[in-house]
Amino acid sequence: MAQLHELVTPDSICLNARARNWRSAIRVAGKLLINAGVGSPAYTDAMMKNVDEHGPYIVIAPGFAFAHAQAPGLVQRTGMAWVRLRKPVKFGNELNDPVTLIAALASADSTQHIQAMRQLITLVDNDQTRARLQTAADVQDFMAVLGHLNRQ
């Protein structure tokens, strides 16, 4: 099973991205997935539809959203994108808005990403790790934080 840092490449991380609202924030993440050969434009639409239909439940911790969709037919391979926004946006989650950090997962099946999800939960539960992602100076520092989760 894939580790969290194995699903991310330097090209699938965008630091200090600009977004007007939650939709454009998810589009940034979706474009990273597309450029990495992981997702498709239809998968990006499915992630937004997920929020439209189920509300902002993807905002799972203060300032952190986990964008995803159940649409394996729209995914070429399992992968992940990370977006850190320059200015936070609101998703409509009273408890955890506004969001500055978004992880987007595209899974080709129902099992490849399980270990990565365990590590993501560890990340979300740790205020210090989230803070390190918020303040990483560059993509290499960001990747180092994700790789550190594998050793915990």
Side-chain angles (χ1 to χ4, degrees):
M1 283 188 265
Q3 303 289 321
L4 184 63
H5 72 282
E6 295 172 333
L7 298 179
V8 183
T9 66
D11 292 338
S12 64
I13 298 171
C14 182
L15 304 180
N16 302 316
R18 295 178 189 263
R20 293 183 318 275
N21 53 41
W22 68 266
R23 286 182 185 281
S24 60
I26 289 178
R27 279 191 198 99
V28 171
K31 186 169 185 154
L32 292 170
L33 292 171
I34 293 164
N35 291 344
V38 171
S40 64
Y43 185 75
T44 301
D45 293 342
M47 289 191 293
M48 289 187 290
K49 183 178 179 185
N50 200 22
V51 177
D52 285 334
E53 291 181 356
H54 304 290
Y57 79 97
I58 68 167
V59 183
I60 59 175
F64 183 84
F66 174 55
H68 60 283
Q70 295 252 335
L74 304 176
V75 174
Q76 287 74 37
R77 63 179 176 82
T78 300
M80 189 172 244
W82 287 81
V83 175
R84 187 174 70 196
L85 298 172
R86 181 176 294 210
K87 292 184 180 178
V89 298
K90 292 185 179 182
F91 276 69
N93 183 302
E94 292 179 28
L95 185 62
N96 293 321
D97 267 345
V99 169
T100 55
L101 191 62
I102 301 159
L105 174 69
S107 185
D109 65 32
S110 61
T111 61
Q112 286 183 349
H113 65 287
I114 293 173
Q115 180 62 26
M117 289 302 303
R118 288 185 187 121
Q119 292 171 326
L120 185 65
I121 291 166
T122 299
L123 180 153
V124 168
D125 284 343
N126 188 315
D127 292 339
Q128 290 178 330
T129 303
R130 281 197 327 270
R132 287 179 60 207
L133 291 173
Q134 293 286 8
T135 59
D138 54 32
V139 170
Q140 288 74 27
D141 288 346
F142 198 96
M143 293 280 295
V145 175
L146 296 179
H148 177 74
L149 293 171
N150 184 40
R151 296 184 294 275
Q152 290 183 341

